[in-house]
Amino acid sequence: MKKQSSYKLLGVTVDALSIPELNALIEKSIQKNKKWIIANHNLHSLYLFHKNPKMQAFYAKAEYTHIDSMPLVFIGKLLGFPMKREQRVTYADWIWPLMEEAVNKGWRVFYLGSKPGVAEEGASILRQRFPGLQIACAHGYIDMDKDSQENLSTLAAINAYKPHVLMVGMGMPRQEDWISENLEHIQTNTILTCGACIDYVAGVIPTPPRWMGKMGLEWLYRLLSEPRRLWSRYLLEPWFLSTLLLREIWNFRNSSDGGNKKVKSFSIRLKPKKAILIMQQSGTLSEQKKY
């Protein structure tokens, strides 16, 4: 059955969900004792999805995929979907209400990711801000072979802690690959792909001003902060993604014309350069780190 908040655009399916709705889904998975992946899509993940079969397989396993990119909200609205700004959820905004909810509901949280020492620093900051928070962590610089001693030890630590929420912050596509490889052995309710979330909490990576996220300009802040690592993501990947957008607009126009529906004029006059600009405006925390 199609979820009410589910929409298909640019070849992927996304769920337009706000922070309270996402927190409610976590609570539901815990109450029903289900194991759900709540993934996210941004422009970088779209690029990887269309280039990497493993990413396609991962998203097929996700119960929900929320939107972590304001341009995706813009594109959705362009195509006539009833999306709202608050349905773009990035971990820079979500981490705080998520941890507050964890304290209020007694959820145990396990964070896997970041460099050695960074996860502990971030967890310490979160405990200070949210007294009573139950959070454990392990760094993400491990041997990814599912049968390696490091990986088996990491799984044992997670399962011994019995978390309600497992946050995996290894960057795309590494975090998705790890979850897919180990899913059947992970004992938790909700699995979140959170990118560089704890790196931001710990201050290792500067957090973009929140007004830039609302405007869809976080990509510019991050590009200026880390140009050597992110230049290809924001200056090259949009060329591929813009073709998907133009194809989507063409199909939307034709289907609307066929149904004798009025098509908004701007939806058929979008120029390639404008499409690329929209594609560059990706405000995601799902970092593709150098491991």
Side-chain angles (χ1 to χ4, degrees), residues 48-291:
L48 294 174
F49 179 91
H50 288 287
K51 297 289 185 178
N52 188 340
K54 287 185 177 181
M55 286 291 275
Q56 296 170 20
F58 167 78
Y59 281 101
K61 298 174 183 176
E63 192 73 20
Y64 294 90
T65 303
H66 70 87
I67 301 170
D68 180 17
S69 173
M70 189 57 75
L72 287 184
V73 174
F74 295 156
I75 292 168
K77 292 173 71 69
L78 180 72
L79 298 175
F81 298 135
M83 293 183 181
K84 303 175 183 178
R85 286 180 180 268
E86 58 266 29
Q87 291 170 333
R88 179 263 186 171
V89 177
T90 180
Y91 279 90
D93 301 317
W94 189 15
I95 184 64
W96 312 109
L98 174 58
M99 294 300 104
E100 183 176 14
E101 191 80 348
V103 172
N104 293 338
K105 299 293 174 60
W107 299 342
R108 291 183 301 278
V109 179
F110 195 105
Y111 173 82
L112 171 63
S114 304
K115 295 180 179 179
V118 174
E120 289 82 357
E121 176 65 22
S124 177
I125 291 171
L126 291 173
R127 290 191 198 99
Q128 292 174 22
R129 179 158 177 175
F130 302 101
L133 175 65
Q134 301 176 74
I135 183 170
C137 56
H139 70 78
Y141 281 69
I142 61 174
D143 185 342
M144 289 284 285
D145 188 316
K146 64 183 300 184
D147 296 319
S148 72
Q149 187 56 51
E150 280 186 316
N151 192 63
L152 293 174
S153 296
T154 298
L155 284 171
I158 293 170
N159 293 337
Y161 190 69
K162 298 180 180 179
H164 297 100
V165 180
L166 172 64
M167 304 176 70
V168 184
M170 297 180 177
M172 291 182 172
R174 196 171 187 267
Q175 61 195 13
E176 288 79 11
D177 289 346
W178 185 86
I179 293 170
S180 292
E181 284 289 315
N182 297 280
L183 184 59
E184 62 180 307
H185 302 295
I186 299 171
Q187 297 173 20
T188 188
N189 294 117
T190 298
I191 302 173
L192 304 176
T193 50
C194 63
C197 175
I198 295 298
D199 295 65
Y200 282 77
V201 173
V204 174
I205 299 176
T207 303
R210 303 322 305 138
W211 66 266
M212 296 188 80
K214 294 179 180 179
M215 298 296 292
L217 293 174
E218 281 193 9
W219 70 273
L220 180 59
Y221 181 93
R222 298 175 65 228
L223 176 60
L224 294 175
S225 299
E226 301 180 85
R228 293 183 63 182
R229 190 172 67 83
L230 298 177
W231 70 272
S232 63
R233 180 186 304 186
Y234 295 122
L235 300 180
L236 296 182
E237 290 181 12
W239 288 97
F240 168 77
L241 295 172
S242 65
T243 62
L244 299 179
L245 174 58
L246 293 173
R247 186 186 308 158
E248 190 90 357
I249 293 172
W250 176 262
N251 292 336
F252 174 73
R253 185 193 68 172
N254 289 342
S255 63
S256 297
D257 286 346
N260 294 321
K261 295 178 182 178
K262 183 178 179 181
V263 182
K264 295 179 182 179
S265 60
F266 62 83
S267 70
I268 62 174
R269 293 204 298 263
L270 192 64
K271 297 179 180 180
K273 289 184 178 180
K274 179 65 174 177
I276 292 168
L277 178 59
I278 291 176
M279 287 298 180
Q280 286 177 326
Q281 296 175 336
S282 175
T284 177
L285 285 173
S286 301
E287 296 288 339
Q288 188 175 5
K289 302 175 187 175
K290 300 290 185 180
Y291 279 85

